[in-house]
Amino acid sequence: MRDTEYSLRSGLTARATSLPLERMTPLLRPGLLLGSTLTLAGLVASARAVTTSVAIVWSGAAAGTVTVERGRLAALRPGGTDAAAAGRFELPEGRPGRIEADIDGTLADDETGTLVTVRTAAAAFTFRLRDVDRNYPIYVPAYDAAVTAADDRRSFAEIAAAVRHRGQLTKLQTIAAAPEENFDHAAANTRAMRLETWLGLSRDARIFRVDDRLQWIKPRFHWSESKLPETGGKPVVYEFQFGRGWGVRDDVTRRLEDGVLPILHGRIGDEDVQYDVTVFTSLERSPLTAATLRGTPFLVADSYGAGHMFTPVQQAEVTRQREAEANRDEETVLYVRGVATNRGTVPRYALFKTMTPQLVKRTEWHVDGARGFGLFKSGRVFAVTKLNGRPVGEEHSVLLKPGETAVFEMYVPHDPVSPERAGALLNQSFDARLAEARRFWQEKLAAAARWHLPESRIDEMVRAGLLHLDLITYGLEPGGPLIPTIGDYTAIGSESAPIIQFMDSMGWHDTARRAIGFFLEKQHDDGFMQNFNNYMLETGAVLWTMGEHYRYTHDDAWLREVKPRLLKACRYLQAWRARNQNGPKGDGFGMLDGKTADPDDPFRSFMLNGYAYLGLSRAAEMLATSDPAESKVWRNEAEALKTDIRDSLVHGLERAPVVPLGDGSWAPAAAPWTGYRGPVMLHADGGAWFTHGAMTGRDSLLGPLYLVFQEVIDPREPLAGLLLETHSELMTRQNVAFSQPYYSRHPWVHLQRGEVKPFLQAWYDTMAAIADRETYTFIEHFFGASPHKTHEEAWFLMETRWMLYLESGRTLRLLAGVPRAYLADGQTVAVDGAASYFGPLSFRLESHVAQGEIRAAVDCPGERRPATIEFRVPHPAGLRAKSVEGGIYDAATETVRIEHFTGAARITLHY
């Protein structure tokens, strides 16, 4: 065997070694088993390996082992070759905390690269041999250790000082040092979405989609396309036109009624002629009220959602119900009005084109101008049209003098109707229907908690968001299960959770209870819950949402009703877990295996297991008073699962190669499931993991940081900080996750840790980038999939709720994350009649900083009231209060603590 010495990167010395061909053969087999330990011979990707000399240094004495995977420990100093055989070292007190190792291995960037694990009594960490570089030492402050080239004689303290001397910052440190984020800055530095608008009635799955340029509409049964015999089975799309058409520039703006109601207003500028457009959905002939709203059976609505799943029994019932729903005697109708106004100084033409079907031959339809009907050859009417109150044909040009207007109206039934029904529809009053729709939606808001936020955009988004959730929550009125759908998709136990929980937060407890009922009605006989695309995490997630609903309501009658299904779900999780209680502890012992989201990854993922723990924990909590014995069973089961999850996470972190952070330090980054070394995006064990437009998806959106949100890890323990830091460095930009950012729960973690600036960076930048800034509707992914994605919108709403009020044990934290700008002089932040874990909640803060004073009050009078209130009062200029009345002031956190809370309190801060 012939050795050739050469220089490799920054003075790191290595020797190239030829390997016999027979030792390379195992490399040719396809695939690698996750978590397997393979030999150097089986993993070196070329015919050359290297011997690399490294130094490992500590802040003090150390003893432990060095193990090498995909390579061989050739020598260990002090200790020599005998120590290398065992991989053991011991550095007594008084000696330099340093060992040197010669390692035969490969410096490849893929799954063949050599990994080295250093284990002491205090901690263990792993590094890639390829990453050792004296110019960028692997400095791991969490473990008081560093790895560098053997010819680098610096001690740990000297390496640490050199790294700190560079003055570098992590991403989170950079955010903390920057000015607080705001919407204008976020909007200027993020993508701007323009999205279609969904209009409907709530409960009824017959909706309409309207494009962002106000040129086409699509009748849909939720996600399912409306297909007619008259269109040859093609999806129905109607196009229309206000103005002259596509030109050199777009001049279209849109806004919801009052900024919040599902009534769309648009303004189309065509030089001197301006078109003011109003679009909304109502009924064909009945008045639109809560009493007349029938809705769609929840199973039928479920069948209209993308990704739905049914048992054979459920499918038979869906088929029966869909046949009964096929011929409803009243349609939902899209009402469209465009008012053209000549704003010039000379006469100008206004131009209109009524609704006409796309992709359908002209011979199959025509417009009867005498009656104002758009008719298919079958005789059914797909639209009625009026100009200035009179029936008209397909296209029109109207000369308007300066200041004159023309009114063009189109009414489109969801399914074409007979000429007789069309004649009645033509006689409907647009203004009357508009007033009716306005009252309908306003009454829904009146039944919810009332928030007042100084930022009008956010104030509107909260109310609009609640109605967006309700718009596609389907089911029959006045009672029975409701399906909380999520954009194009059917309901999912995990993704519907924030929808239901925000409804509960806003006091819509009955709606939330009925939405939970959907999952219970569809529960399998063995207790399993699965409604979408073979996802396997829904059972735990639904149990969690049930627990949250009970926290809000303490509805014992409901708990008695659902208890059999709750226990059935718990037992299913218990049996699932028992199947995997074999082998040694750690690395997946006792953890559930299965598909967590869209990617077909049937592993023991942390997100899946975190939801199982959270669900079992909430089940135990719900039963604590009414059935203490049963509660104890599930508390013990939950805690055992929690221990197994944490053991596997720690085991995985020990085996995960450390990664560099922005401040020059290194830290371990966890895999999304057991058995893989570190984030799959870094390919330490190989594989192809790109999904949904991002390399980071599995690690960030489905990864181990969920365990903090799922209460497996306390937000303030070091492990949470470690996960948060590596997630920020590797998987965010502007503290926003890639692709589908609301799948990442790091903003909640920031709030829990008191990290306001990082929270606001994520809160503003995510919302600014993924929501339509005019209509406030959200989309699922940055690349544009699934509009009206209420899962995303609901997480924004829940983050806003937590920003305003956040429960922590027996403490209620108020304004924990609000921007300083919210407390500018003359501003008010108020929440009236919200629901909390502690019962009904109202609070109000008024800023009079120009007079040197901020006043606040909180009322939470129920028997479940909190023991302590923490009221954060961030002065807009960062000043600290000189004196405080009504509580104990912590200047560091700008928080007034009210202990022994009696149900009402008032505080005043003087500056």
Side-chain angles (χ1 to χ4, degrees), residues 1-3 16-20 23 47-49:
M1 189 176 293
R2 186 172 65 251
D3 294 344
T17 305
S18 299
L19 293 178
R23 293 183 60 192
R48 302 175 68 79

Short mmCIF file of all heavy atoms in Angstrom, two decimals, residues 1-3 16-20 23 47-49:
data_model
loop_
_atom_site.label_atom_id
_atom_site.label_comp_id
_atom_site.label_asym_id
_atom_site.label_seq_id
_atom_site.Cartn_x
_atom_site.Cartn_y
_atom_site.Cartn_z
N MET A 1 0.85 -1.19 0.00
CA MET A 1 0.00 0.00 0.00
C MET A 1 0.89 1.23 0.00
O MET A 1 1.84 1.34 0.75
CB MET A 1 -0.90 -0.02 1.23
CG MET A 1 -1.97 1.05 1.24
SD MET A 1 -3.07 0.87 2.66
CE MET A 1 -3.89 -0.66 2.27
N ARG A 2 0.58 2.17 -0.89
CA ARG A 2 1.45 3.33 -1.07
C ARG A 2 0.74 4.57 -0.53
O ARG A 2 -0.40 4.85 -0.86
CB ARG A 2 1.79 3.50 -2.55
CG ARG A 2 2.81 4.58 -2.82
CD ARG A 2 3.25 4.55 -4.29
NE ARG A 2 2.16 4.87 -5.20
CZ ARG A 2 1.56 3.99 -5.99
NH1 ARG A 2 1.96 2.74 -6.00
NH2 ARG A 2 0.57 4.35 -6.79
N ASP A 3 1.45 5.36 0.34
CA ASP A 3 0.90 6.58 0.91
C ASP A 3 1.48 7.79 0.20
O ASP A 3 2.67 7.84 -0.09
CB ASP A 3 1.24 6.71 2.40
CG ASP A 3 0.57 5.62 3.22
OD1 ASP A 3 -0.35 4.99 2.68
OD2 ASP A 3 0.99 5.42 4.37
N ALA A 16 -3.17 10.19 1.49
CA ALA A 16 -4.04 9.43 0.59
C ALA A 16 -3.63 7.97 0.64
O ALA A 16 -2.46 7.65 0.61
CB ALA A 16 -3.92 9.97 -0.83
N THR A 17 -4.62 7.10 0.71
CA THR A 17 -4.36 5.67 0.81
C THR A 17 -5.19 4.93 -0.22
O THR A 17 -6.40 5.12 -0.28
CB THR A 17 -4.72 5.15 2.22
OG1 THR A 17 -4.00 5.93 3.17
CG2 THR A 17 -4.35 3.68 2.37
N SER A 18 -4.56 4.09 -1.03
CA SER A 18 -5.31 3.28 -1.99
C SER A 18 -5.96 2.11 -1.26
O SER A 18 -5.37 1.50 -0.38
CB SER A 18 -4.36 2.75 -3.06
OG SER A 18 -3.78 3.83 -3.76
N LEU A 19 -7.19 1.78 -1.64
CA LEU A 19 -7.91 0.66 -1.05
C LEU A 19 -8.03 -0.46 -2.08
O LEU A 19 -8.27 -0.19 -3.25
CB LEU A 19 -9.30 1.08 -0.60
CG LEU A 19 -9.37 2.08 0.57
CD1 LEU A 19 -10.83 2.42 0.84
CD2 LEU A 19 -8.74 1.48 1.81
N PRO A 20 -7.91 -1.70 -1.66
CA PRO A 20 -8.11 -2.81 -2.59
C PRO A 20 -9.53 -2.79 -3.15
O PRO A 20 -10.47 -2.41 -2.45
CB PRO A 20 -7.88 -4.05 -1.72
CG PRO A 20 -7.14 -3.56 -0.51
CD PRO A 20 -7.57 -2.15 -0.31
N ARG A 23 -12.48 -4.28 -1.20
CA ARG A 23 -13.02 -3.52 -0.06
C ARG A 23 -14.01 -2.46 -0.52
O ARG A 23 -14.72 -1.88 0.29
CB ARG A 23 -11.89 -2.86 0.72
CG ARG A 23 -10.98 -3.86 1.42
CD ARG A 23 -9.91 -3.18 2.25
NE ARG A 23 -10.51 -2.34 3.29
CZ ARG A 23 -9.81 -1.46 4.00
NH1 ARG A 23 -8.52 -1.30 3.78
NH2 ARG A 23 -10.42 -0.73 4.93
N ALA A 47 -11.76 5.07 -4.73
CA ALA A 47 -10.71 4.11 -4.36
C ALA A 47 -9.66 4.76 -3.47
O ALA A 47 -8.57 4.23 -3.32
CB ALA A 47 -10.06 3.56 -5.62
N ARG A 48 -9.97 5.89 -2.83
CA ARG A 48 -8.98 6.57 -2.02
C ARG A 48 -9.59 7.00 -0.70
O ARG A 48 -10.66 7.54 -0.62
CB ARG A 48 -8.44 7.81 -2.75
CG ARG A 48 -7.82 7.47 -4.11
CD ARG A 48 -7.42 8.73 -4.83
NE ARG A 48 -6.31 9.43 -4.20
CZ ARG A 48 -5.04 9.04 -4.34
NH1 ARG A 48 -4.73 7.99 -5.06
NH2 ARG A 48 -4.07 9.72 -3.76
N ALA A 49 -8.87 6.70 0.40
CA ALA A 49 -9.23 7.21 1.70
C ALA A 49 -8.07 8.05 2.20
O ALA A 49 -6.99 8.05 1.60
CB ALA A 49 -9.53 6.08 2.67
#
